[in-house]
Amino acid sequence: MNMQNRHKTVAVDVGGVIVGGDAPIVVQSMTNTDTADVDSTARQVAALARAGSELVRITVDRDEAAAAVPHIKERLAQMNVSVPIVGDFHYIGHKLLADHPACAEALDKYRINPGNVGFKDKKDKQFSAIVEMAIKHNKPVRIGANWGSLDQELLTSLMDENSRSPTPLDARQVTHEAMVQSALLSAARAEEIGLPKNRIILSAKVSAVQDLIAVYAMLASRSDYALHLGLTEAGMGSKGIVASSAAMGVLLQQGIGDTIRISLTPEPGGDRTREVQVAQELLQTMGLRTFVPLVAACPGCGRTTSTTFQELASDIQNFIRNSMPEWKTRYPGVETLNVAVMGCIVNGPGESKHADIGISLPGTGEQPTAPVFIDGKKAATLRGATLSADFKQMVIDYIEQRFGKGARTAAE
């Protein structure tokens, strides 16, 4: 998709990261540590940032968590990590921000949920207090409606109105409308209080793919606020990845979405940075952004009973991803590199020629040799026990030649 076909939204500056407008779609994530634990939270924020998360959200749910926020920021500065931090507030956000001004100042954005910011006569007062705090500290706010905590007064009102209609909608459609109205009415109220549009991001998160597509299509058609995409409670492992990718892939293809989070339930003891990697891979496979070199690899079949190509593809992929933090500074543009690791003679040579650098490994019964192609031309033939190490070195040499200082000096 051409990025110029994106739904036009107002740009929002979140701690130096631009969300919306013509800016690239931003990847964000969220910690699952106890925010009051400064050390563990700072370590996880740093890990997420180094994995490529451009915004990181933390829970601020009680006094101890709020008091810890400025110390987390200090610890991150000591670790040379400067990622913007978003505070996630529910129920008592107004009180925490008022009681902990250092927290209010340290955070780069506040996230509030119109469904639980306050109830009945306290709702507008407490919502207004958070917005006024954001205005005071010049912070943007994400107004995030959520299917699981939808404003029940608004939903009940819309359901009653729908029941009196001569052509009533089904309950699900009414709930979609309630989600959209919850976000838009809250944004309008924030603007009325004095928070400018370029300080507001909206989200309307649900847990079912078709509901997410429907709600965000409605939201985009009725506003130009910057939009955060995310399938809430997406699930664990492949289920969460597939569901999030299916829903957000459709919306992103329609030009909807300025920042995304893949909300994966981690495996016990699993790596939290997995959600960042998946978000990057979604944007990169759709051609919307480029983060790391692509490694095309053969899926395997009866012609490839050897696991050599699988092991080499995995080795190269991991090697590239682990090297990227350093490569980004040493080799500008390296993220555009395409590498192919193929398993047999059927498609191997052709796919390898199409990559910047590719290797075609021998399939079952084929000669135990592996031609390597660079920029479409055969450059070498590898064989033997050092094949993997030799190809990895060729990748390093290619990167140095194409993206290193020598290449830049020649170009200048």
Side-chain angles (χ1 to χ4, degrees), residues 153-298:
E153 288 185 67
L154 174 61
L155 179 60
T156 299
S157 173
L158 290 176
M159 286 290 188
D160 289 344
E161 182 182 321
N162 183 64
S163 68
R164 296 190 294 269
S165 171
T167 55
L169 304 173
D170 64 38
R172 206 169 196 86
Q173 290 174 301
V174 177
T175 307
H176 291 171
E177 177 64 24
M179 287 283 292
V180 172
Q181 284 200 26
S182 178
L184 292 178
L185 290 171
S186 297
R189 176 60 181 140
E191 286 197 67
E192 183 180 297
I193 295 166
L195 189 67
K197 183 172 281 190
N198 67 356
R199 286 285 182 270
I200 298 173
I201 297 173
L202 297 187
S203 68
K205 298 174 75 172
V206 300
S207 56
V209 170
Q210 296 298 339
D211 290 323
L212 193 83
I213 294 169
V215 166
Y216 273 93
M218 294 167 65
L219 198 56
S221 70
R222 289 156 62 174
S223 78
D224 61 352
Y225 293 104
L227 298 178
H228 166 77
L229 296 187
L231 189 73
T232 191
E233 290 91 40
M236 182 180 288
S238 61
K239 186 269 179 184
I241 293 171
V242 170
S244 292
S245 299
M248 285 189 267
V250 170
L251 290 167
L252 291 167
Q253 187 64 27
Q254 294 174 356
I256 298 171
D258 300 295
T259 176
I260 68 170
R261 181 195 172 204
I262 304 289
S263 301
L264 294 181
T265 303
E267 304 284 348
D271 188 348
R272 189 69 168 180
T273 63
R274 178 66 173 148
E275 66 176 49
V276 179
Q277 182 181 343
V278 173
Q280 289 182 330
E281 289 174 351
L282 173 61
L283 294 176
Q284 184 153 341
T285 55
M286 293 190 69
L288 300 176
R289 287 193 66 183
T290 304
F291 297 96
V292 297
L294 289 175
V295 178
C298 168

Side-chain angles (χ1 to χ4, degrees), residues 22-340:
D22 295 323
I25 298 166
V26 172
V27 171
Q28 61 177 282
S29 59
M30 186 175 185
T31 60
N32 62 355
T33 57
D34 178 359
T35 304
D37 184 338
V38 172
D39 288 340
S40 64
T41 302
R43 283 196 302 271
Q44 191 172 82
V45 170
L48 291 165
R50 287 167 181 155
S53 184
E54 293 155 309
L55 300 174
V56 178
R57 182 158 46 110
I58 62 176
T59 296
V60 187
D61 58 346
R62 63 194 196 281
D63 286 305
E64 292 82 359
V69 170
H71 300 294
I72 292 169
K73 292 277 284 193
E74 290 171 5
R75 192 66 51 85
L76 289 170
Q78 293 168 2
M79 299 165 72
N80 200 30
V81 175
S82 59
V83 65
I85 303 298
V86 180
D88 196 61
F89 294 99
H90 297 275
Y91 303 108
I92 60 170
H94 61 291
K95 185 176 185 301
L96 293 174
L97 287 167
D99 292 348
H100 299 273
C103 168
E105 179 57 37
L107 290 169
D108 295 285
K109 185 178 77 172
Y110 309 154
R111 186 268 177 161
I112 56 177
N113 183 339
N116 61 31
V117 71
F119 303 99
K120 298 194 180 293
D121 59 329
K122 293 182 179 180
K123 180 178 178 180
D124 185 65
K125 179 181 178 181
Q126 293 175 184
F127 178 84
S128 299
I130 296 176
V131 171
E132 287 166 358
M133 193 66 68
I135 295 169
K136 176 181 177 181
H137 293 282
N138 196 29
K139 306 294 182 179
V141 173
R142 170 157 72 94
I143 297 172
N146 194 292
W147 190 267
S149 50
L150 185 55
D151 183 334
Q152 292 303 300
E153 288 185 67
L154 174 61
L155 179 60
T156 299
S157 173
L158 290 176
M159 286 290 188
D160 289 344
E161 182 182 321
N162 183 64
S163 68
R164 296 190 294 269
S165 171
T167 55
L169 304 173
D170 64 38
R172 206 169 196 86
Q173 290 174 301
V174 177
T175 307
H176 291 171
E177 177 64 24
M179 287 283 292
V180 172
Q181 284 200 26
S182 178
L184 292 178
L185 290 171
S186 297
R189 176 60 181 140
E191 286 197 67
E192 183 180 297
I193 295 166
L195 189 67
K197 183 172 281 190
N198 67 356
R199 286 285 182 270
I200 298 173
I201 297 173
L202 297 187
S203 68
K205 298 174 75 172
V206 300
S207 56
V209 170
Q210 296 298 339
D211 290 323
L212 193 83
I213 294 169
V215 166
Y216 273 93
M218 294 167 65
L219 198 56
S221 70
R222 289 156 62 174
S223 78
D224 61 352
Y225 293 104
L227 298 178
H228 166 77
L229 296 187
L231 189 73
T232 191
E233 290 91 40
M236 182 180 288
S238 61
K239 186 269 179 184
I241 293 171
V242 170
S244 292
S245 299
M248 285 189 267
V250 170
L251 290 167
L252 291 167
Q253 187 64 27
Q254 294 174 356
I256 298 171
D258 300 295
T259 176
I260 68 170
R261 181 195 172 204
I262 304 289
S263 301
L264 294 181
T265 303
E267 304 284 348
D271 188 348
R272 189 69 168 180
T273 63
R274 178 66 173 148
E275 66 176 49
V276 179
Q277 182 181 343
V278 173
Q280 289 182 330
E281 289 174 351
L282 173 61
L283 294 176
Q284 184 153 341
T285 55
M286 293 190 69
L288 300 176
R289 287 193 66 183
T290 304
F291 297 96
V292 297
L294 289 175
V295 178
C298 168
C301 68
R303 297 179 61 92
T304 54
T305 53
S306 167
T307 60
T308 302
F309 78 94
Q310 298 166 332
E311 293 160 0
L312 181 56
S314 176
D315 190 26
I316 291 294
Q317 183 76 69
N318 291 333
F319 169 66
I320 287 173
R321 186 166 286 280
N322 293 336
S323 300
M324 278 306 291
E326 177 190 355
W327 285 358
K328 282 180 181 178
T329 57
R330 288 184 60 190
Y331 304 116
V334 69
E335 64 275 6
T336 63
L337 178 71
N338 287 308
V339 181

